[in-house]
Amino acid sequence: MKSYEPLREYLAQQTTPELVLSIDAIEEMLGFDLPRAAQRAAWWDSTYAPDEKMPQREACLAAGYIATRLPDGSGVRFRRMKAERSRWRD
């Protein structure tokens, strides 16, 4: 998850229940281009195959957010998890 630590830190500092970041903004924050797989909705979706550990998902969950790629692929919507979902952070 270290490579996605800047994203986790950024999200952890947010106080809004929902925010959207463009792919460009995420790449700038991370300091590298996201893989082509990031264009697939499932790559971001924290509820898709939750047993499959993926560093980008883990970073979002650790910060308390569920990530969902925007339908047009231009960015990612982050929604703060409800209390019952916080168990995913462990």
Side-chain angles (χ1 to χ4, degrees), residues 3-88:
S3 59
Y4 291 89
E5 186 66 14
L7 178 60
R8 187 203 63 75
E9 289 175 358
Y10 176 83
L11 291 173
Q13 294 173 2
Q14 304 309 302
T15 59
T16 60
E18 184 176 315
L19 66 142
V20 174
L21 293 173
S22 70
I23 295 295
D24 290 339
I26 295 169
E27 290 177 337
E28 185 174 326
M29 183 185 307
L30 297 174
F32 60 87
D33 290 343
L34 292 169
R36 289 185 68 187
Q39 293 300 317
R40 292 192 322 257
W43 194 81
W44 286 103
D45 188 353
S46 304
T47 63
Y48 177 82
D51 293 336
E52 185 179 343
K53 301 290 185 194
M54 296 182 71
Q56 74 283 1
R57 292 181 190 169
E58 294 299 310
C60 297
L61 292 172
Y65 281 88
I66 299 289
T68 308
R69 185 186 62 91
L70 296 178
D72 67 2
S74 65
V76 180
R77 174 174 284 113
F78 300 92
R79 291 187 182 126
R80 188 166 300 283
M81 292 189 294
K82 295 186 185 338
E84 65 269 14
R85 289 193 169 164
S86 63
R87 64 181 166 79
W88 288 355

